[in-house]
Amino acid sequence: MGHRRQAWQPVLDLLTPHRTVIMVDLPGHGDSPPLRTEGRAAIRAIADEIVAFFDALGLDRPHVAGNSLGGALALAAGARGRAATVTALSPAGFWANPWQYGYARAAFRFAQRAGAVGRPQILALARIPLTCGLTQAAFVARPSNITPEHATADALAFLRARDAVYAILADRETFTDTIPVGVPVTIGWGTRDRMLPPSQARVAMRRLPHARFVPLPGCGHVPMTDDPVLVASVLLDGSGR
């Protein structure tokens, strides 16, 4: 939520020798058009747009992967019968208690408000090699792997996604759908995820008993820069099942 397709750049070169890869900006994110909910819950509206995107590209059941909100959307595609396989990294929607959702919502709202008020200071931190990782510290376990260019572009993208972020936060989405047993599901969870703690993986295991669960040692909520080789391996294994 609030991120951009370039989040996957660290693993891209490890995937493209083996897969045709399509990276997307969600509605209201990155370079995509604004999110239009038209009376629908925001996540449902985004899921509808993802399915329409599949149709536009002539993709019936692609292998679908996502992180956080994207993980929830990947699972939604599987539940709709529109995914050959699903690989979700720290997917949203598996709250172990009401406090966890309240914490995540407050963290994102605070980040948006702080960014709006302190935009010059945040961008200044993002442009300095010694401090750029601080702007990502809540989401990654190894901030030193973040480059100033990456941090600056991420900060700007997050602030531009403000309307979509608030629309998504307006509803507490909980994943309760059923994914057909014939659709292989892989769920990876960073052991150092501070945004959606690993305890939520146990909730996901109860709701998706046929899924394969893979811990991501030393990884945070957005694990692609923390351990690109491990994340690429999970994605390739998940889409090869």
Side-chain angles (χ1 to χ4, degrees):
M1 182 169 59
H3 219 326
R4 58 196 183 113
R5 67 186 186 278
Q6 288 85 352
W8 298 97
Q9 203 72 44
V11 302
L12 186 61
D13 288 345
L14 299 169
L15 300 177
T16 51
H18 311 284
R19 303 284 188 274
T20 298
V21 180
I22 300 170
M23 301 189 300
V24 300
D25 283 324
L26 299 177
H29 294 67
D31 295 321
S32 286
L35 171 61
R36 307 292 185 191
T37 59
E38 298 174 345
R40 298 166 292 177
I43 293 182
R44 185 169 298 277
I46 296 174
D48 291 343
E49 291 290 335
I50 293 294
V51 169
F53 180 71
F54 292 170
D55 292 339
L57 294 183
L59 300 171
D60 180 29
R61 296 175 65 240
H63 301 279
V64 186
N67 169 225
S68 190
L69 169 62
L73 293 166
L75 293 169
R80 293 183 181 205
R82 295 302 304 268
T85 65
V86 173
T87 305
L89 308 178
S90 295
F94 296 99
W95 317 105
N97 54 63
W99 180 88
Q100 289 184 343
Y101 175 73
Y103 168 78
R105 181 177 61 183
F108 275 97
R109 286 181 172 173
F110 174 79
Q112 279 290 345
R113 290 168 183 165
V117 174
R119 178 182 174 120
Q121 292 82 4
I122 290 173
L123 293 179
L125 287 173
R127 294 184 179 116
I128 300 172
L130 288 176
T131 59
C132 65
L134 295 176
T135 63
Q136 306 276 335
F139 300 99
V140 300
R142 298 185 175 102
S144 60
N145 290 355
I146 303 292
T147 65
E149 295 77 15
H150 186 111
T152 302
D154 281 355
L156 290 170
F158 182 75
L159 295 176
R160 286 196 300 267
R162 175 185 175 91
D163 290 346
V165 168
Y166 277 102
I168 295 164
L169 291 176
D171 297 296
R172 176 185 168 179
E173 285 289 330
T174 299
F175 186 84
T176 57
D177 293 338
T178 300
I179 298 179
V181 175
V183 178
V185 176
T186 300
I187 295 181
W189 220 291
T191 60
R192 296 175 61 188
D193 190 334
R194 293 185 289 271
M195 187 58 58
L196 301 182
S199 62
Q200 296 184 16
R202 293 194 288 271
V203 179
M205 291 172 69
R206 291 195 297 270
R207 293 186 189 160
L208 298 167
H210 75 279
R212 180 174 68 112
F213 287 83
V214 181
L216 307 178
C219 290
H221 182 58
V222 181
M224 289 78 85
T225 57
D226 286 333
D227 195 335
V229 173
L230 174 61
V231 171
S233 175
V234 171
L235 294 171
L236 291 173
D237 288 347
S239 59
R241 294 179 66 201

